Amino acid sequence: MSTLDRARRSLKAHPLALDAAIAAGVLLCMVAGSFVVPKDGHGVSWGVRTPDPFALLLMLLGAAALVFRRRAPKTVLAVTGGVSLVEFVTGDPRAPVAMSAVIALYTVASTTDRSTTWRVGLLTMTVLTAGAMLGGPLPWYAQENLAVLAWTGIGATAGDAVRSRRAVMQAIRERAERAERTREEEARRRVAEERLRIARDLHDVVAHHIALVNVQAGVAAHVMDKRPDQAKEALAHVREASRSALNELRATVGLLRQSGDPEAPTEPAPGLSRLEELAAAVRSAGLPVEVARADQGIDLPAAVDLAAYRIVQEALTNVQKHAGAGARAEVSVVRVGPHVEITVLDDGAGQDAAPGGGGGHGLLGMRERVSALGGTLTTGPRYGGGFRVHAILPVETRPETRSGTRADTRCGPRAETGPGTRTDSRAQRRTTAPGEPA
């Protein structure tokens, strides 16, 4: 940084010192100008005339007032205008005291609005010009009197131009700051949505596979002594479920890798094409599942395909954990017009597989997935016992939908009325507190 730049920054940091320096410069110019003496009305020449002491006093008062021009611009303008009027009436030859009034008028114009500049500028120009024409020793049409009008007009115009430029620059800076804030907010929103989506996937993977592992491990522990072959088969299912969980976790966590990290897995996300594999895994855990599909030949978008698979996965996990022994499940996938409908039913008695378990986020995750795609979700107990999960997803996804921002009026629990309607603790827990423990 050069010495000039450092000096400029130091003066900007101390405005009073800057104004004092400007006042000193103006005083020097006024004193130097007082030595200019007209020569027979034909040009000017530098004389050796000493300025009148009273004129020097007026110049000193005008320059001293400029030190406070930022704090009280209108007061300083009144003071400098007053000393200028006095000089117009008494000075012969005239000293350039009006220079201080021009600087003060510039300050008023640069620190106020345009209407104030017009009013104050016209008033100052009229008063000073009239005083010079009517009260001075020179004829009213003298060049010096017209110069007063010109210089005061220049001061007001220059101050207004500087104020306008400052306003434009400030508006540009504010727009740039708003744009920066908007970009940051948009980036934070996208990061939050991505974190929510990854958290949903992690929950679905962990909740489903760990539930299978828990069920099969319980079976193995129960039959270990009496039926070791069945225990061995259950442990094989545990190994298979844990391997699937690890593979899906690896694929999901791969999304969080940085650019310099090893390449993430490239296998496709699970979809309805793996529905039979999912049903087979659930059957091996002891839950009979029937799958009916009427969507052959449909090419679903990747987001819809993944959401449909996760909804079925989470619904079957909830059946395993809460439907009780002897429950059966039915899964249907049907194409209806521009939508695909996924229905998961069970006929469980509502016995909790994990008594005292806390509420989780299973149904909440389903709702968020469906809402993000612009679909609807209905969950609730069935007439005669059991539970029903019904999701309607659009085949064509909307281009931009914020996850969780559009409330679905049909996502709330809906229970059918009539004899045999279930109102046990399972139904209350799964409808009043959406979500299941992971």
Side-chain angles (χ1 to χ4, degrees), residues 4-19 70-71:
L4 182 60
D5 291 336
R6 285 195 296 268
R8 186 183 294 110
R9 291 193 176 186
S10 177
L11 289 175
K12 287 183 177 180
H14 302 84
L16 187 62
L18 177 60
D19 290 337
R70 296 178 193 266
R71 298 184 178 182

Side-chain angles (χ1 to χ4, degrees), residues 285-343:
L287 175 65
V289 179
E290 295 182 6
V291 178
R293 299 188 62 177
D295 64 329
Q296 287 75 11
I298 299 177
D299 187 14
L300 296 178
V304 176
D305 201 22
L306 175 61
Y309 178 85
R310 294 303 190 195
I311 289 171
V312 175
Q313 184 184 56
E314 181 62 32
L316 292 178
T317 300
N318 290 342
V319 173
Q320 285 183 303
K321 294 162 67 176
H322 299 286
R328 300 175 62 86
E330 298 178 5
V331 179
S332 68
V333 181
V334 181
R335 168 70 182 269
V336 180
H339 300 87
V340 59
E341 297 189 10
I342 299 96
T343 306

